[in-house]
Amino acid sequence: MAAALSVFSCKVEDGYYYRQLDSDRLEKYAEGIYLSYVCGELDMMMRLLDIDHFISLSPEEQRESPLAGKVFHEDGNTLVVEQGFSEARISTGGKRLLETGAGWTVENFCSDMGCSYLQSSLLYAEVACKEEGVWEILMRTADSSECVMEITVTSDDVGRTGKFTVSGHETSSDGYRSVFSNTGDAFSYSNSIISGSSDIAGTLSIDIYSGDLLKDWCMITCDESGRVWYRTSR
């Protein structure tokens, strides 16, 4: 999975000379944006729904859950989630995430396998339930990057399916700004509760700017089978 996004710097100039980027570098950058924001937010949303379900269980049922010993009530409005050597904090406002109008604030989140997407200390997210089965996620990081996802979730005994739209911007360490969003139809996904994996289908478009000037663009398209196609400006 993607590490910190600075690994995928979108720098396209060096001093006074324009440095041509090859397609491989742009493809790696597109992959970093996709893994960090699209996959990262979907992963977070699935984990939050698991946590929401966990806190609805009886004490006896909670002891049988994989989240036993990892999720604790600090008070009626705050959850603490242990993540190896760090802790995530969730302010619930005393509401279940399934309730229309509920708003959860998430700080210091990282994946079960560690901080695979963004450094945990950088992550702040607000998750609001707009209506039954529909949530809006706003994610921010310390470098003023921002991403908004609206996600619709349906579920059964096998897993979860749904659609989502995503848009946002990311600022690299060298000052370039990337604006990204899904293009065409909304992304679709199928999440397996058993394996925890997600199959995502859709296209993410990324425009790379220096100031107001468009320097490069890249697109990444994925299908449910895991196949990936790239298109780049170079």
Side-chain angles (χ1 to χ4, degrees), residues 40-146:
E41 288 205 46
L42 181 63
D43 174 56
M44 181 177 70
M45 188 66 209
M46 296 302 107
R47 285 194 62 203
L48 292 179
L49 288 173
D50 288 341
I51 291 169
D52 181 81
H53 175 69
F54 175 79
I55 63 177
S56 73
L57 300 176
S58 67
E60 293 76 18
E61 291 172 323
Q62 287 183 352
R63 282 193 286 270
E64 301 299 320
S65 168
L67 291 178
K70 295 182 179 179
V71 180
F72 305 93
H73 282 278
E74 184 174 87
D75 54 45
N77 298 320
T78 308
L79 298 172
V80 176
V81 183
E82 292 193 352
Q83 309 175 128
F85 297 105
S86 67
E87 292 183 344
R89 298 179 66 82
I90 302 172
S91 298
T92 66
K95 292 186 176 182
R96 294 278 308 281
L97 192 56
L98 300 178
E99 296 179 45
T100 299
W104 282 18
T105 299
V106 184
E107 298 178 87
N108 208 41
F109 174 87
C110 62
S111 78
D112 281 332
M113 298 177 65
C115 303
S116 301
Y117 307 105
L118 298 167
Q119 296 179 19
S120 62
S121 61
L122 302 182
L123 182 60
Y124 170 87
E126 297 174 2
V127 183
C129 183
K130 299 179 66 176
E131 57 185 87
E132 184 177 355
V134 180
W135 290 267
E136 184 176 82
I137 307 169
L138 170 62
M139 187 174 76
R140 293 192 179 97
T141 62
D143 63 358
S144 76
S145 297
E146 184 175 286

